[in-house]
Amino acid sequence: MSDPRRSLLEISPQELGAWMVERGHRPFHAGQVYRWIFERRAEGFDVMSDLPKRLRDELAEHWSVFSMTISKHQVAPDGTDKLLLECRDGRRVECVLMAEVDRRTVCISSQVGCGMGCVFCASGLKGVERNLTKGEIVEQIVRSRNLLPLDERLTNLVVMGMGESLANLDNLIAGLDWVCSNEGLGMGQRRVTISTVGLPEKMRKLAALDRSYNLAVSLHAPTASLRDELVPINAKVGLDDVMDAADEYFRRSGRRVTFEYVMLRGINDGLAEARALADLLDARKAHANLIPYNPVPGLPYERPTAESVRRFEGVLKARGLSVSVRKTKGREIDAACGQLRRRSEVAVGGDGGSGAVQVSGAASPLFDEAR
Ligand code: SAH
């Protein structure tokens, strides 16, 4: 039976305040409720001890803190946490919490499934089912934060899970703006990176919002013809317009754009592509993030050799470009890019998401995020 109560993360402190006034309570209690959730990690109303008992009871009757349930929680030997969250409609999304020496990064999903159809990616195999709501976006972040020891905070947030972020621009920005505000977790917008397949119109719309979020564009190919093959949406939008919109984002936000480049063995990992990529990025104050492919069962693509990654990186560096190579975290639990939700669909099936699965071990920080 689905819980009929709405999540408080779907509304705002102002809306909750108005609801309280209607019921004869004072509106400042709304601020207290959200402080309990964002600052003190409350996941229910019982613990909100400075609220009148009657108000707590009414809140519990009409609202819930979260709307999703944890269907599965896995911990990889390197300390990476993966949460499989089940939405009210039974659909599932995943988010991943990665720990490094001085960073705690959460990677969230923006949609159930994905409609972009990048040929190597697991998320788009079955198309897009729906956008996540503002509350579901915020919930992934808050639930991940709640896994951290009490003295730790989230330092970075990347929208690099399932879905095309900018296809859900309004809900995503509403959620991120809240998390980044002082009424939320107070994270700096500069600690947030939104990854997009490259939808020029939406990139311009985001630029016009004048936020300080980092933008990462999934380029994956230096030429239009190769990009048309790997990223089918490119045939519609055109590489030139993607680059133009990225330039506009940089001009308006002052934030250096990252170009992600998934390296596929024998397809886009050669010296010719490296040189063409250097040509493309040369005039731009951009950053390149090389991502060695994480093979997806059933798809024909392979991880590049360490040698070809090194050579590719060398070409870009020799041209004076800023470049990093992404390390994979949480591979043992399929937390790697493009792997989210897939195994659970194959294996979990009807288990209905009972308790937590713990696969823990020693921590070994590996993840090297975009910047
Ligand atoms: N729709 C957004 C977010 C996707 S996930 C986008 O396209 O950017 C973030 C990154 O992971 C993208 O660059 C995506 O192309 C990449 N990715 C997808 N599947 C992958 C895989 N199996 N191995 C490595 N990177 C992958």
Side-chain angles (χ1 to χ4, degrees), residues 107 110-111 114 116 118 120-123 159-166 194-198 216-220 231 260-264 291-296 299 303 326 336-339:
C107 173
S110 56
Q111 299 182 305
C114 184
M116 297 300 113
C118 299
F120 50 83
C121 177
S123 300
V159 189
M160 295 186 182
M162 196 188 297
E164 168 46 36
S165 324
L166 297 191
I194 301 173
S195 181
T196 176
V197 72
V217 178
S218 292
L219 200 58
H220 308 330
V231 181
E260 293 160 285
Y261 192 99
V262 170
M263 296 183 68
L264 307 164
I291 313 173
Y293 184 59
N294 295 302
V296 174
L299 294 182
R303 198 176 176 84
R326 187 173 308 166
C337 346
Q339 308 289 294

Side-chain angles (χ1 to χ4, degrees), residues 116-120 197-198 218-242 264 267-268 301:
M116 297 300 113
C118 299
V119 297
F120 50 83
V197 72
S218 292
L219 200 58
H220 308 330
T223 61
S225 57
L226 182 57
R227 193 163 195 265
D228 285 350
E229 278 175 42
L230 302 177
V231 181
I233 192 79
N234 193 64
K236 239 183 248 171
V237 298
L239 180 56
D240 291 345
D241 206 25
V242 173
L264 307 164
I267 291 178
N268 67 355
Y301 306 98

